[in-house]
């Protein structure tokens, strides 16, 4: 087991974060704020009005510069979390409401109002006792080789946790690396035009945005990326940043991507009006920022733990030809590992 978990078990330092970037062999914990820290852990809401409801104690933007950082080699492990008994599941929206939302979105896509929109669902699991966030973090260690693992813990019973396969961007000095990631199918399924349409929307967005802030922009070849029993479509981009482009400007240009919101402003406005949940930090940027290196992921495959509840978030890209039932099944696939832990 990762040696940082025992440290977190006995520590009473809050707030704090855990971070292991995708592709990194090192994990770290940061705690106790300091204005002189050389690095900052940053998390941000999906949009400025996202932190209502269950997210009311979370700011729309959180920057935490730790006085103390403890790091260790990341050790891949498969551990089943020890959770209390799950006594209730509630989906928001319900399937009936979801069917109406997807039908309405596809009708607007057919009319040409926008090309793609990503609709989200919140699945709330209620347990008969308080849930330990660190148990869930231990469970996510099995995804550590293909994801960024993160946890922001505000207090002993409140934490935002996830294992994201998607980078927003990584910057090394003036070199930037980012990617188009979209589509979710099982390892046994074959790709359909629907998934290619999803990733093409992200590719188009990235090209348009990166051309305004990069020199020497290069694109990799399309490929598959694994996530547990599933896979995504992936394409890598890299370039050299123009002189006046900062991390803040990059975040503004790349967030939200069409993989989490929509390709056009009309799609984002549609989301604000139709989604019945507060996304909070789900689908927002999260990660480490410093002068020499910045590593930010998109906070998908994530959950909010509050006392005896786990709020799971999942989204599905709606494009021409999307079917409500298949999209609902995709939402379940994205959270099935936590559902399995909760009902074992």
């Amino acid at each position: 087991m990762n040696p940082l978990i025992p440290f977190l078990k006995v520590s009473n330092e809050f707030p704090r974060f855990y971070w292991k970037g995708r592709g990194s062999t090192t994990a770290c914990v940061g705690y106790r704020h300091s204005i002189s820290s050389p690095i900052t852990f940053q998390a941000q809401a999906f949009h400025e009005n996202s932190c209502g409801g269950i997210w009311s104690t979370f700011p729309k933007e959180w920057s935490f510069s730790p006085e103390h950082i403890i790091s260790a080699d990341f050790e891949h492990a498969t551990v089943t979390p020890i959770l209390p008994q799950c006594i209730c599941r509630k989906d928001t929206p319900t399937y009936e409401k979801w069917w109406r939302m997807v039908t309405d979105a596809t009708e607007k896509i057919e009319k040409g109002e926008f090309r793609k929109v990503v609709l989200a669902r919140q699945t709330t699991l209620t347990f008969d006792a308080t849930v330990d966030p660190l148990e869930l973090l231990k469970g996510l260690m099995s995804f550590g080789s293909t994801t960024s693992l993160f946890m922001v813990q505000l207090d002993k019973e409140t934490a935002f946790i996830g294992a994201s396969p998607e980078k927003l961007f990584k910057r090394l000095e003036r070199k930037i690396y980012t990617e188009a990631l979209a589509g979710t199918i099982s390892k046994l399924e074959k790709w359909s035009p629907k998934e290619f349409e999803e990733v093409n929307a992200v590719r188009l967005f990235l090209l348009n945005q990166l051309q305004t802030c990069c020199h020497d922009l290069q694109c990799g070849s399309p490929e598959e990326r694994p996530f547990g029993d599933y896979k995504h479509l992936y394409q890598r981009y890299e370039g050299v940043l123009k002189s006046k482009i900062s991390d803040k400007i990059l975040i503004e240009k790349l967030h939200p991507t069409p993989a989490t919101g929509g390709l056009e402003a009309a799609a984002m406005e549609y989301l604000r009006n139709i989604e019945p949940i507060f996304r909070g930090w789900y689908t927002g940027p999260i990660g480490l920022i410093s002068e020499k290196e910045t590593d930010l992921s998109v906070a998908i495959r994530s959950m909010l733990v509050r006392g005896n509840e786990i709020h799971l978030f999942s989204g599905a890209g709606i494009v021409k030809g999307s079917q409500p039932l298949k999209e609902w099944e995709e939402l379940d696939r994205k959270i099935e590992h936590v559902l399995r832990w909760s009902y074992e």
Side-chain angles (χ1 to χ4, degrees):
M1 175 54 60
N2 190 293
L4 297 178
I5 298 295
F7 167 79
L8 292 170
K9 279 284 188 185
V10 299
S11 169
N12 290 314
E13 295 279 354
F14 300 102
R16 62 192 180 186
F17 69 84
Y18 173 97
W19 174 256
K20 201 285 300 180
R22 196 190 73 198
S24 175
T25 59
T26 304
C28 67
V29 172
Y31 59 96
R32 197 174 302 159
H33 184 73
S34 170
I35 59 174
S36 61
S37 176
I39 69 166
T40 297
F41 187 88
Q42 181 164 315
Q44 183 176 320
F46 176 57
H47 59 68
E48 66 276 9
N49 297 320
S50 290
C51 288
I54 60 172
W55 293 94
S56 59
T57 57
F58 285 72
K60 65 180 181 181
E61 186 171 327
W62 190 71
S63 295
F64 185 73
S65 301
E67 179 181 350
H68 297 288
I69 298 178
I70 299 174
S71 60
D73 291 341
F74 177 76
E75 297 179 8
H76 184 277
T78 300
V79 178
T80 300
I82 300 173
L83 300 176
Q85 182 178 354
C86 185
I87 57 177
C88 179
R89 169 179 171 167
K90 178 183 177 182
D91 292 308
T92 307
T94 62
Y95 176 70
E96 291 74 18
K97 174 66 173 176
W98 174 262
W99 189 93
R100 292 195 294 270
M101 289 169 59
V102 174
T103 300
D104 184 69
T106 52
E107 288 175 354
K108 287 179 168 52
I109 291 169
E110 289 283 355
K111 293 176 182 177
E113 296 185 23
F114 44 80
R115 180 174 166 181
K116 174 186 176 180
V117 67
V118 180
L119 301 178
R121 185 186 74 186
Q122 174 185 320
T123 298
T124 298
L125 303 179
T126 303
F127 296 80
D128 65 356
T130 299
V131 176
D132 182 355
L134 297 182
E135 284 295 316
L136 293 163
L137 182 60
K138 285 195 302 185
L140 293 178
M141 294 293 170
S142 63
F143 300 105
S145 60
T146 57
T147 69
S148 293
L149 298 176
F150 59 85
M151 180 184 72
V152 174
Q153 194 168 9
L154 299 184
D155 55 52
K156 190 173 182 179
E157 298 182 1
T158 307
F160 180 53
I161 310 170
S164 174
E166 182 177 358
K167 290 269 191 193
L168 185 65
F169 67 85
K170 183 168 185 176
R171 177 186 58 79
L172 297 173
E173 301 287 358
R174 302 303 295 168
K175 195 77 178 284
I176 179 180
Y177 306 87
T178 186
E179 61 196 34
L181 185 80
T184 304
I185 61 174
S186 75
K187 289 182 177 179
L188 300 178
E189 291 181 286
K190 294 183 178 180
W191 299 107
S192 72
K194 186 262 182 185
E195 287 83 36
F196 284 108
E197 175 65 15
E198 283 190 64
V199 78
N200 281 337
V202 183
R203 291 175 59 247
L204 177 63
F205 168 83
L206 284 176
L207 285 172
N208 288 338
Q209 297 299 91
L210 292 174
Q211 286 171 351
T212 67
C213 58
C214 288
H215 301 293
D216 304 324
L217 184 61
Q218 300 178 30
C219 306
S221 301
E223 58 184 272
E224 295 179 350
R225 278 295 173 94
F227 181 84
D229 294 329
Y230 300 96
K231 56 187 178 182
H232 307 285
L233 288 170
Y234 167 92
Q235 191 164 7
R236 178 183 174 92
Y237 296 81
E238 61 181 71
V240 179
L241 294 175
K242 296 179 180 178
S243 59
K244 295 184 179 181
I245 302 298
S246 64
D247 289 333
K248 186 176 186 299
I249 292 173
L250 273 176
I251 293 171
E252 291 172 352
K253 283 184 171 291
L254 299 181
H255 170 72
T257 76
T260 60
L263 184 58
E264 304 93 349
M268 286 297 297
E269 184 62 26
Y270 179 76
L271 276 182
R272 292 172 186 265
N273 293 328
I274 197 173
E275 275 196 338
I277 65 170
F278 290 103
R279 289 198 188 189
W281 290 2
Y282 165 64
T283 63
I286 193 165
L288 288 178
I289 293 176
S290 71
E291 182 178 350
K292 291 186 176 181
E293 179 178 348
T294 290
D295 189 6
L296 292 175
S297 285
V298 181
I300 58 175
R301 303 296 193 278
S302 54
M303 67 193 96
L304 174 62
V305 181
R306 295 182 69 96
N308 69 331
E309 293 182 329
I310 301 175
H311 305 278
L312 299 161
F313 298 90
S314 52
I318 309 304
V319 295
K320 184 178 180 180
S322 291
Q323 300 175 30
L325 178 57
K326 288 187 176 180
E327 303 302 336
W328 184 267
E329 291 171 345
E330 178 177 326
L331 299 179
D332 276 345
R333 287 199 297 267
K334 290 176 177 177
I335 63 171
E336 72 168 9
H337 53 296
V338 184
L339 295 177
R340 184 173 64 251
W341 299 336
S342 301
Y343 289 100
E344 284 185 340

